[in-house]
Amino acid sequence: MKQKFIYLIMLVGLLTACNEEFTESPAVGALSDAALQNEAGVNLMLTGAYSTLDGVRANGFGNGWSISGDNWIMDVVSDDAHKGSTDGDQGDLYQVETFDWSTGNGYFYGKWGVTFAGINRANAVISLINGIEEGDFSAQLAEARFLRGHFNFELQKIWGNVPYISEENYNNSEFNQPNPGPIWDKIEADFEYAANNLPSTQGSEVGRPTSWAAKAFLAKAQLHQGKWSSALTIFNDVINNGPYDLLPDYVDNFRLAGDNSVESIFSIQFTADAGNAFNGNTGGALNFPNPGPFGACCGFYQPTQDLLNAYQTANGLPLLDTFNQTDVTSDYGINSSEAFTPYAGELDPRADYSIGRRGIDYNGYGVNPGKDWIRAEFADISGPYLSRKNVYWNGETDNMATGGWGQQHSGINYHIMRFADVLLMGAEAAAESGDIETALGYVNRVRNRAKNSNYVQAVDGSGDAANYSIEPYTGFSGQDEAVKAVRFERRLELAMEGQRLFDIRRWGNAPQIMNAYFANEARTIGNFGTKVNPYTATYDRFPIPVSAIDLSGNVLTQNPGF
Amino acid sequence: MRKIYLLKNLLLMVSLMLCSFTYAQSISGTVSDASGPLPGANVIVKGTTNGAITDFDGKYTLNNVGADAVIVVSYVGYISHEVNVGGRSTVNVTLQEDASQLDEVVVMGYSTQTRGDVTGSVASVDTDEALKAPVVNASEALQGRVTGVTVVNNSSPGATPKINIRGFGTSNNTNPLFIIDGVQTDDPNILNNINSADIDQMNVLKDGAAAIYGARASNGVVIITTKSGGYNMDKAKISVDMYTGISQIANAPDLLNPTQHADMLWQSMINAGVTPSHPQYGSGSTPFVPGSIQGYRRVISYNPIVFGDNFNATTKVGGTDWIDAITQDAPTSNVAFSMENGTESGKYFMSVGYLTRDGIMNYTGFKRVTSRLNSEFKIKDKITIGEHLNVSYSNTKSGVGEAIEMALRMTPLLPVRDDAGEYTGVAGPGLGNTRNPAAQLYRSDNDYNKRISIFGDVYLQYEILPELKFKTTLAAGMNTFDRRSFTYLDPEHGEPISENSMNEQDQTSYNWSWSNVMNYNKRFDDHSVNALVGVEALKDGGKGKGISRSGYLFEDPDFYLLNNGSGTPSVDYAYDGYNSLFSVFGNVNYSYLDKYYLSGTLRRDESSRFLGDNKSDIFPSASVGWVVSKEDFFGTDGFIDRLKLKASYGELGNQTLPANNPTINISGLSESQANYSFDGSTITQGAILSQVGNPNLKWETSVTTNFGAELTMLDGALSLTGEYFVIKTKDLITRDFSLISSTAIDAGAPLVNLGDIENRGFDFSLGYRNQTDSGFTYAIDANISHYKNEVKNLISSFVSGRGDLRNGAVTRTEVGEEMSYFYGRNVVGFTNDGRFQYEDVNGDGTVDDDDRTKIGSPHADFTYGINLNLGYKGFDASFFFNGSQGNDVYNYNKVFTDFPLFVNGNRSTRVLDSWTPSNTDATLPALLNSGTNNESSSNSYFVEDGSFFRLKNLQLGYTFPTNVAEKMGADSFRFYLQGTNLFTITDYEGFDPEIVAYDNLSLGIDSRIYPNSRIMSIGVNVKF
């Protein structure tokens, strides 16, 4: 009997002895914090931070289309684009476009969330580097700070009053920070650090920023604050001493040939890989003609009549004050089976590289038939035009990819900043500083490139597809005209590139521009006038998403007016 | 005088003799219970020692019974029954089970106790009664039948029900721990793998009684024992149960027909100031419902996609009822066969079962084959070896989750199929953007979720001394899960899929546990001691992956292998891991005079999920009981037969977490979220932080206090139990989305100890059963439960519920309130232009986000169940009602059906009562063609009263008389008709007021549900 007890006690003892090891369970397949404390780890996490440039985050929330790194949503909010498709499709975006904004709209929340994911993935890299005692990680640190600067810049442009999450906050998981106002100083500090620590070239890894890129971003941040002279100094340096130039052909910026060209300063490296093309432009998947010459999703992101009107020229110069008094002929309300004669008046050639319209070749797929390629109905607000810069050209299969259900994941790089943008920002800083000659030079450099580019050709080989006419300015009568011309040139050159909204906001005249646009647009799309609400300065900032305020425990404060 | 006496004696003797000749007789009969003859029952003539015991067939014979004698029939576990013989020679008696069942052996996990000795809160399910309903998952049997236990199923066949016991003590997992014979798991899905006919006993430990399971017991413990056969049986008992029936949709919402739909669109456009015109309904002052779809198109070729318009789709007169188009009268059937037998040294129980339950949504359903073998052998005198083995295979066809939402939103104008017989779609203008749900479900027909589950245990018990036993149990389980889903081309859709693809998932999970328990059980005169000590180790692990590939040449299931795709395969996920628990425990039960009871338990657990000092903890509990009715002062002839008071205190843990390694940061590679190209062509691998760890995470602990009273009256016919409980949950574990908030990194939020919550409430049950002299038996069991939930402490000022709903969360949890109350704007009427008027809660003159407030509670005032059983001669009837009172439901589906989020989609007929200048007392605001004014954000319009009263189950049966059954070759033969969910009284406007919670911080939100079904069936129970 005693023996049996002893066996039992031994059994119990054995189990107890094993148990220290027994109750350890490793995290299989995971990278631990310790495993990342080296160069390979830093590089992995840094790549992870770049990966949010496209707008895709883990455990995403809000609307999945609002997140796109190419900021197409921002053009929809501006006078450049309609949401596209039918009114009921993506109802939240309809509410955004018609300025019926609620703080719970998923489009605001989605963009908000992915921007912070980017900021904090950069913080994760900075924090990781700060915790490693040996080795030189200054290049990676500079890249991480550049990325954080970029994401904070986005946040700043969109919401105005934003919280700043530092690497210390990240380390201590103190993510709920107040948003008393702008964070320009933090943004500038990151770009300054990057400018001082990044190499001037990145060799074959052109997707990484250089010191020149960081300078250009720093200057852009200053431009947004109206620091004209210091911005101009830096822009001049980048323009005169940097490695950049304009591509000979305007359209190459949006074609395979122009990927990572001499004009590219910092771009999202969208890549049409095999499989589900996770590195393609997933957030822009809706923005292809539906139905159309290829693919099928989903008829969103349609340029406005107002934008097309802006391309009207007289003697090769834009109608700065009167463009919205006359319309370029549209096929709105006309079915493809019905006759339509395209506009015969003078147009800036960039019009037909920015806007797809009936009767003109569409990215090499043949003549755009009008309504048959438009998903929206005539009763919807979206109008008759197609976007082009984000749509790959016929035959450029290296840019074509499809996602899990066959949606388009384009490989066309999106230029967060290209050299033409820098020239025009330089021109603006110069004009605002009273240096009209410099402004004129920079603007004309952009216009001359457009003038000397190849124009869209008629499909039948008869020559130009339309009556294109563009000339450089001979001079500006004064500072006001210079500023006006520079601002107008930005719209023409950078149309449908996600820039317009932030320009009109920082110029402070968004209400005038937008309300004029509503009236101009309503001449063509009758419904639009009744559906859209008047624009007020409240709309110069997105509302802080109510879910974000709730999750912060009311640490975040709502922007005025919401 | 003497003579007279003699005469008198003589007369007396004669008369006595005459009496005995005339009146004294022999009687015989059968004693049975609801399920058939009852062997071993005592039959005795009242006031005499003249008695008999029923034989194997339940038969007895009694001699010398006076014509006006009363016989008393009794059997352990049944209510004794007295019958007037009344001159009959055959007296058959049906005994009713005794609800109080004081002598019943209750399986408590590592040990057993007799019911009368239990001092904790232990509820037993009357499995015979509860498993009458055609359940798929045996835990459904708990619903409404055990006080304090709620079970909600989403009605989809094969879905796992959500169970919680005594309120919401945690924001974490509320699943109780299931002990199935020797197998332990907190995955309620395990009950999908068991044939419910195999179940012998289901006991629910609701308070400190569960402390023996320590760290896993805070949600309660459900102990299931399966049938085991009996020793010394003289022949095998075979039982066959079969039923077959039809399920139907129980409640379908009313949607607009095309005429109403067109009018709704017209009014919307007019209200928006737009001249009405619509691609389908024309233009002008009134709409026109077309005879065929305008601009109907389909894809005619892919790559590139080209639509052709050479197709026609004739509309259906009166429009298409899409709910009808995707639902069916679904057959259901079940066959269960079991056999048991036993000799002096061995016994077994074996069963096979086959269940098929088609879903009421087309092409959905559940099929299951189960088999079980339980056996036990006595080896020599002192050793018993036994095993339980359950093997099952199931296939769940779950259809398409969004199909019901699509059916609610699909335009009524489109026919299901076009003139060529193909599924229609919204590729034409003005038809919205829904996918054809009938086509979706049809295309899911070849998808499957196959599961093979094997689990069981082997045990050895060694009787060291008669009072000292050692038992070692090795239990193990394995689950393999094999899922395939194929995404077909959908040429009818406006956003057609351009490439078909297939997704395959394989997952294997395993678990094992080894427990060694020493049990001491001895009675010393008036003292009785029952004690145990044990050690236990258990491990729970799993591994799995999902792979997708596109580009299949043929859309034919014979072709569906991953190697037949042409796209680049994508590994969607892969995981591997385990967690482990090591425990030492002990328990002592002591009683004196069977009157005073004392019990204490201590368990120490060590978990692999935590770090350092948090890794282990000790969970104590104690309880006392006092049988007041045994005291002298109480007397024996009072109204009350038995009164027992009891109280318990226990600390219980909850270590079940949705993570194996919650304490550490986990980063990982991610193809979809971390990779990037630095040169525009080659992809560089990247990593992201995927999970934030919390090294300080510790056990969630529930401190439970329970006071109870048990009463039996009227010779056991009436029983009452009442319990009052307080459960304080400390350090409750949940993901902290306020820490990893919207301004944080995109990693999984850490599991943290969020705060403290208290539930207090009562469970009350009543049972009464009786039998009239004519043999009519009736019984009623009713129970009612109530809890009050209060959040006592939180690490942040409040926590929001699920954030993936349109326009954000609708629930909020904060200190001083109930968990997960509904939070939003309060609709108080309409503005002058017909928009919702919201309450200006803070009185600042404007309505904004600061005017959100509490707009409802998902917590019921009380829930209840009523079971009514009637029996007369061979007939039996049982009614089971259950209900809930005073809870609200957030009817999130109204976002789609009542508001213009998808303007061309269909809507509820509620929109017919929209605001107009002449209808200001309306249900809904003025129609518009887009959402506005936060009307589809969280507001009180969506909050509805979720109270209901339901006839959950009705069964009418007839058992053939024994002689008839015998002629049919059976010992007993019963057939029955049954109806489930026959009616529901509720004001709730959605499909069903019983809502499966998404998580415990998001209770009572009705979104994307599977409609509830009504099942009518016919069945037989035969015993051989």
Side-chain angles (χ1 to χ4, degrees), chain A residues 228-391:
Chain A
W228 308 116
S229 72
S230 60
L232 179 59
T233 308
I234 305 173
F235 282 130
N236 282 337
D237 180 29
V238 174
I239 291 165
N240 298 324
N241 307 316
Y244 308 113
D245 199 356
L246 293 173
L247 279 169
D249 200 350
Y250 175 75
V251 73
D252 279 349
N253 280 302
F254 320 105
R255 298 191 58 168
L256 200 56
D259 263 16
N260 297 318
S261 69
V262 68
E263 189 166 341
S264 171
I265 290 174
F266 189 62
S267 304
I268 303 176
Q269 302 289 316
F270 287 124
T271 305
D273 52 342
N276 284 335
F278 294 122
N279 294 289
N281 187 354
T282 56
L286 297 180
N287 305 337
F288 290 78
N290 171 297
F294 51 80
C297 191
C298 289
F300 277 77
Y301 195 28
Q302 294 185 247
T304 60
Q305 179 70 40
D306 185 90
L307 177 63
L308 182 58
N309 288 350
Y311 285 103
Q312 298 172 101
T313 55
N315 302 317
L317 292 175
L319 315 179
L320 297 182
D321 297 313
T322 57
F323 78 94
N324 58 9
Q325 292 170 10
T326 53
D327 292 324
V328 176
T329 323
S330 87
D331 63 328
Y332 178 78
I334 300 172
N335 282 306
S336 293
S337 56
E338 299 166 315
F340 171 73
T341 307
Y343 183 67
E346 276 185 42
L347 278 180
D348 185 316
R350 289 171 291 187
D352 287 335
Y353 288 121
S354 307
I355 299 166
R357 60 189 177 107
R358 181 168 175 180
I360 308 292
D361 176 73
Y362 183 73
N363 287 18
Y365 294 96
V367 173
N368 180 338
K371 176 69 187 80
D372 278 359
W373 284 6
I374 299 290
R375 185 173 191 184
E377 300 304 327
F378 298 137
D380 299 316
I381 60 173
S382 298
Y385 303 115
L386 293 172
S387 64
R388 289 185 70 142
K389 289 180 173 176
N390 62 309
V391 173

Side-chain angles (χ1 to χ4, degrees), chain A residues 467-540:
Chain A
N467 178 14
Y468 301 121
S469 161
I470 180 169
E471 293 299 335
Y473 287 99
T474 50
F476 295 135
S477 62
Q479 189 180 25
D480 285 354
E481 194 191 74
V483 168
K484 190 187 285 180
V486 168
R487 289 180 175 181
F488 207 85
E489 197 64 28
R490 280 188 71 75
R491 186 178 195 198
L492 300 176
E493 173 71 17
L494 301 169
M496 303 292 283
E497 294 184 49
Q499 305 276 1
R500 174 71 175 167
L501 178 68
F502 306 121
D503 286 337
I504 63 175
R505 282 181 174 183
R506 69 189 169 85
W507 294 331
N509 57 356
Q512 298 90 302
I513 288 179
M514 290 300 290
N515 289 321
Y517 148 65
F518 297 158
N520 190 22
E521 197 71 5
R523 275 201 309 277
T524 304
I525 306 167
N527 277 333
F528 187 65
T530 44
K531 288 173 179 171
V532 74
N533 293 303
Y535 189 103
T536 64
T538 298
Y539 298 119
D540 281 350

Side-chain angles (χ1 to χ4, degrees), chain B residues 52-71:
Chain B
I53 291 177
T54 56
D55 65 11
F56 184 75
D57 296 320
K59 292 196 165 61
Y60 73 94
T61 306
L62 274 180
N63 297 317
N64 250 344
V65 183
D68 52 358
V70 173
I71 58 168

Side-chain angles (χ1 to χ4, degrees), chain A residues 1 4 8 19 22-23 25 31 44 51 58 95 100 103 112 120-121 175-176 207 269 279 375 377 406 550, chain B residues 429 462 464 495 498 518 580 606 615 661 665 667 673 675-676 678 687 738 741-743 746 849 852 931-932:
Chain A
M1 185 63 57
K4 284 166 188 161
L8 279 171
N19 94 58
F22 179 73
T23 54
S25 60
L31 294 166
L44 280 172
S51 185
Q95 294 184 4
D100 184 8
T103 58
W112 171 271
N120 286 300
R121 285 196 195 182
F175 293 111
N176 296 317
Q269 302 289 316
N279 294 289
R375 185 173 191 184
E377 300 304 327
D550 286 351
Chain B
Y462 180 64
I464 301 166
E495 298 162 24
S498 62
M518 186 79 82
S580 50
E606 181 167 327
K615 216 174 165 67
N661 302 94
N665 285 342
S667 301
Q673 271 136 12
N675 290 1
Y676 193 67
F678 289 106
S738 54
S741 56
S742 72
T743 50
D746 54 335
D849 291 333
R852 292 175 299 163
T932 188

Side-chain angles (χ1 to χ4, degrees), chain B residues 257-290:
Chain B
N257 64 34
T259 309
Q260 293 168 326
H261 185 242
D263 287 344
M264 178 272 292
L265 292 173
W266 246 240
Q267 191 59 50
S268 301
M269 286 184 268
I270 290 165
N271 288 350
V274 177
T275 310
S277 103
H278 189 270
Q280 299 296 337
Y281 297 119
S283 54
S285 59
T286 52
F288 172 75
V289 176

